[in-house]
């Protein structure tokens, strides 16, 4: 009887010792908050330099929400915006996964969450930012160049053939047509209304500014963003998660798949195929334009 008691009492100790070899995030009772970093310009900048897209981040999001023992999912956002379509698609996927897994989403803004970046941030149940973070820019922008005088000066004749009255709308080698501009502005107002509706729905009851303040395309630093209801509080990821889930909370970073196998399986971002040296040389002009466009988008917010 005594021997049996000793053996039984030794079982829990053995289990405890075995548990030391189990990864911490798989142990019962250890809170886990997986972290996904969403960074960069949203949408395809050029075929050779794809930006953030649903295709590129979907697997990371799915892995994060499927993490064992997860108490929430944290998103680190650093984006000046970009494609409204990709922004909304990423927003929707985050909300769908949050509903399916019944997990809260905590967003932490780094340098900037503006325009489409702020749209994605609205997928969070709570938004935290640094006092120097930039948030907002709830608007729609588009632009082009006009080269009609340049080609005339260098002796180039423009030849364009279309079927459809407005097929050549906003062609940069033709003079600007006021009717074309009016059509584009109407399209922008429609997209802007969708953006405004998304923000109002996501931040329902928390927005404190009037529409003519919040939705002009203006952007603000962290403290003002909190006062306007665009963010919930000033806070960094580590301190916030420890205060909420305890000092032992684990925050594994869910990184995108890398390596040859993932490339063969198509895990790279859309548009980023394998390039030969000749492809790379031929793509240098596109790469240069892409870099300039990206720099211009970030520079708008002082970065």
């Amino acid at each position: 009887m005594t021997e049996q008691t000793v053996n039984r009492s030794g079982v829990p100790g053995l289990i405890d010792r075995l548990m030391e070899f189990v990864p911490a995030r798989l142990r019962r009772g250890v809170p886990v908050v997986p972290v996904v970093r969403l960074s960069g310009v949203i949408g395809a900048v050029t075929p050779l330099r794809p930006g953030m897209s649903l295709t590129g981040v979907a697997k990371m999001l799915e892995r994060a929400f499927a993490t064992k023992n997860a108490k929430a999912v944290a998103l680190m956002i650093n984006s000046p915006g970009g494609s409204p379509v990709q922004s909304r698609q990423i927003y929707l996927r985050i909300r769908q996964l949050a509903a399916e897994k019944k997990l809260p989403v905590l967003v932490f803004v780094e340098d900037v969450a503006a325009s489409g970046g702020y749209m994605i941030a609205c997928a969070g149940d709570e938004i935290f930012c640094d006092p120097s973070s930039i948030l907002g820019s709830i608007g729609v922008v588009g632009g082009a160049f006009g080269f009609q005088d340049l080609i005339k000066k260098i002796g180039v004749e423009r030849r364009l053939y279309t079927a459809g009255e407005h097929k050549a709308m906003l062609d940069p080698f033709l003079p600007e047509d006021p009717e074309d501009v009016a059509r584009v502005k109407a399209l922008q107002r429609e997209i802007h209304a969708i953006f405004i509706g998304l923000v109002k729905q996501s931040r329902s009851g928390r927005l404190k500014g009037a529409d003519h303040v919040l939705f002009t395309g203006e952007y603000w630093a962290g403290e003002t963003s909190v006062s306007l209801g665009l963010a919930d509080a000033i806070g960094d990821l580590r301190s916030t998660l420890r205060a909420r889930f305890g000092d032992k909370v684990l925050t594994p970073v869910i990184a995108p798949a890398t390596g040859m196998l993932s490339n063969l399986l198509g895990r790279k971002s859309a548009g980023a195929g394998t390039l030969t040296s000749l492809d790379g040389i031929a793509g240098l002009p596109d790469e240069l334009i892409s870099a300039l466009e990206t720099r211009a988008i970030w520079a708008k917010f002082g970065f």
Side-chain angles (χ1 to χ4, degrees):
M1 180 66 103
T2 304
E3 183 178 350
Q4 288 180 343
T5 302
V6 171
N7 288 341
R8 287 175 181 172
S9 63
V11 170
L14 177 61
I15 292 175
D16 290 339
R17 288 194 295 275
L18 291 175
M19 287 298 291
E20 293 177 3
F21 297 96
V22 177
R25 63 186 178 84
L26 299 179
R27 299 174 193 169
R28 291 183 180 180
V30 178
V32 179
V33 179
V35 179
V36 177
R37 197 156 190 271
L38 303 176
S39 180
V41 176
I42 303 164
V45 182
T46 70
L48 297 178
R49 188 188 292 272
M52 191 197 316
S53 67
L54 178 60
T55 300
V57 304
K59 291 295 184 183
M60 288 194 299
L61 293 172
E62 290 167 7
R63 287 167 54 204
F65 280 95
T67 301
K68 188 176 178 61
N69 295 333
K71 301 298 182 183
V73 171
L75 305 177
M76 297 287 290
I77 294 181
N78 193 20
S79 172
S83 164
V85 173
Q86 290 299 322
S87 302
R88 187 171 180 274
Q89 291 296 311
I90 294 171
Y91 165 92
L92 289 175
R93 181 61 58 87
I94 294 167
R95 292 316 310 163
Q96 290 163 359
L97 290 169
E100 290 171 9
K101 301 298 183 179
K102 297 180 173 56
L103 289 174
V105 178
L106 306 178
V107 166
F108 296 87
V109 178
E110 296 185 305
D111 295 309
V112 58
S115 195
Y118 183 71
M119 183 184 288
I120 295 175
C122 285
D125 295 288
E126 296 178 72
I127 300 175
F128 301 89
C129 60
D130 186 85
S132 297
S133 298
I134 299 295
L135 291 85
S137 192
I138 302 168
V140 181
V141 64
F145 296 95
F147 298 105
Q148 71 275 7
D149 292 334
L150 175 62
I151 63 172
K152 185 184 298 183
K153 184 176 181 179
I154 63 177
V156 175
E157 180 185 356
R158 175 67 162 152
R159 295 174 181 175
L160 183 65
Y161 311 99
T162 66
E165 184 181 353
H166 304 296
K167 189 62 178 176
M169 188 173 72
L170 297 181
D171 186 298
F173 298 103
L174 295 175
E176 188 175 65
D177 185 338
E179 290 186 4
D180 290 347
V181 175
R183 292 187 187 94
V184 169
K185 286 186 175 293
L187 182 64
Q188 289 179 327
R189 286 193 293 270
E190 186 175 348
I191 297 173
H192 192 197
I194 294 171
F195 194 172
I196 292 171
L198 183 148
V199 174
K200 286 187 172 182
Q201 179 183 353
S202 302
R203 304 292 299 167
S204 178
R206 289 177 283 185
L207 295 175
K208 302 169 187 175
D211 286 9
H212 71 271
V213 174
L214 295 176
F215 306 129
T216 63
E218 188 177 355
Y219 45 88
W220 302 270
E223 294 282 4
T224 304
S225 298
V226 172
S227 70
L228 291 172
L230 297 176
D232 295 287
I234 299 296
D236 66 279
L237 183 141
R238 186 173 185 272
S239 300
T240 301
L241 296 186
R242 283 192 164 203
R244 186 160 302 187
F245 300 105
D247 291 345
K248 293 184 179 180
V249 62
L250 298 176
T251 55
V253 176
I254 309 299
T258 58
M260 183 176 68
L261 180 59
S262 63
N263 293 344
L264 292 174
L265 294 175
R267 298 289 290 276
K268 295 182 73 173
S269 298
T274 302
L275 300 173
T276 65
S277 58
L278 287 178
D279 291 330
I281 294 172
L284 283 178
D286 274 350
E287 286 288 276
L288 177 59
I289 293 171
S290 171
L292 292 172
E293 288 177 341
T294 301
R295 181 66 261 161
I297 293 172
W298 281 103
K300 177 181 176 182
F301 303 102
F303 295 98

